[in-house]
């Protein structure tokens, strides 16, 4: 698998550094999925967990949308793959999910998140919409997204290793 990730700079301003690390982690998720068949992307090799690589991509599309568009930018849009009636839909409903749609949606949400983040260069900018009764700053959202990807990329690494033995950073 060719590694297309761009290493974050060793020195940069805070916004550039945080977005570079976030982009690196975004591409790490794509790297973990690279070269696998649709069936492999749907595999849940760690029963009873419902985690799959496809589920992680769908989950991260929803997380990008929620934190950047819905909260930071205050957009009135729906969640993607889950609802109150189906809170784990992004993970549970992968058997019939379109792989192409999931990756396309994830990439579109990443691009939208980048645009929203760029529109708020002040990292102290408060989100326009609360989450769990708290107003988070743009900085907090960027740091949280790095943490969210890092955690799930660890899951992706284990899933990928169980599928075909591929390991790596």
């Amino acid at each position: 698998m060719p590694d297309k990730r761009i290493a974050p700079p060793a020195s940069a301003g805070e916004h550039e550094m945080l977005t570079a690390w976030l982009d690196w982690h975004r591409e790490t998720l794509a790297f973990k999925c690279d070269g696998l068949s649709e069936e492999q992307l749907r595999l849940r090799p760690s029963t009873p967990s419902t985690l799959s690589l496809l589920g992680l991509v769908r989950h991260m599309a929803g997380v990008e949308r929620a934190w950047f568009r819905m909260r930071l930018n205050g957009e009135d849009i729906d969640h993607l793959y889950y609802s109150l009636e189906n809170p784990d839909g992004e993970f549970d409903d992968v058997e019939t999910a379109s792989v192409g749609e999931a990756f396309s949606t994830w990439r579109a949400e990443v691009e939208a998140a980048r645009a929203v983040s760029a529109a708020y260069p002040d990292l102290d900018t408060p989100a326009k919409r609360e989450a769990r009764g708290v107003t988070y700053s743009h900085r907090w959202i960027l740091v949280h997204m790095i943490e969210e990807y890092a955690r799930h990329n660890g899951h992706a690494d284990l899933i990928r290793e169980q599928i075909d033995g591929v390991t790596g950073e």
Side-chain angles (χ1 to χ4, degrees):
M1 298 183 311
D3 187 350
K4 301 173 190 169
R5 296 174 298 171
I6 298 170
S11 180
E14 187 177 16
H15 191 270
E16 180 184 352
M17 182 68 73
L18 291 173
T19 56
W21 272 106
L22 180 52
D23 281 340
W24 189 84
H25 279 291
R26 287 167 169 153
E27 289 308 311
T28 297
L29 180 57
F31 183 59
K32 294 297 171 186
C33 297
D34 190 43
L36 295 176
S37 69
E38 289 193 11
E39 292 76 25
Q40 289 172 313
L41 289 167
R42 287 187 176 90
L43 283 176
R44 297 173 172 140
S46 299
T47 57
S49 173
T50 61
L51 283 179
S52 67
L53 291 170
L54 180 57
L56 288 173
V57 168
R58 288 163 45 98
H59 174 68
M60 292 312 300
V63 171
E64 294 271 4
R65 182 183 191 105
W67 281 107
F68 288 100
R69 295 180 63 197
M70 297 169 83
R71 293 183 181 120
L72 183 59
N73 209 36
E75 295 178 35
D76 187 20
I77 53 178
D78 292 330
H79 291 284
L80 289 171
Y81 301 112
Y82 70 92
S83 63
L84 292 176
E85 300 78 32
N86 190 10
D88 294 319
E90 69 265 49
F91 297 114
D92 292 346
D93 300 337
V94 297
E95 292 84 10
T96 58
S98 165
V99 170
E101 180 278 331
F103 277 87
S104 176
T105 297
W106 174 59
R107 289 286 186 198
E109 290 300 332
V110 165
E111 288 307 313
R114 285 182 181 132
V116 168
S117 186
Y120 299 100
D122 181 356
L123 295 177
D124 291 322
T125 299
K128 292 181 179 176
R129 186 174 289 156
E130 292 181 349
R132 297 176 288 276
V134 177
T135 300
Y136 293 97
S137 71
H138 183 195
R139 176 182 292 104
W140 188 96
I141 291 169
L142 287 169
V143 171
H144 171 67
M145 290 299 295
I146 293 166
E147 171 272 325
E148 182 90 4
Y149 270 102
R151 182 166 37 97
H152 288 313
N153 283 339
H155 298 139
D157 195 40
L158 292 171
I159 293 168
R160 179 65 190 250
E161 184 176 5
Q162 289 181 327
I163 291 171
D164 65 0
V166 171
T167 61
E169 195 174 313

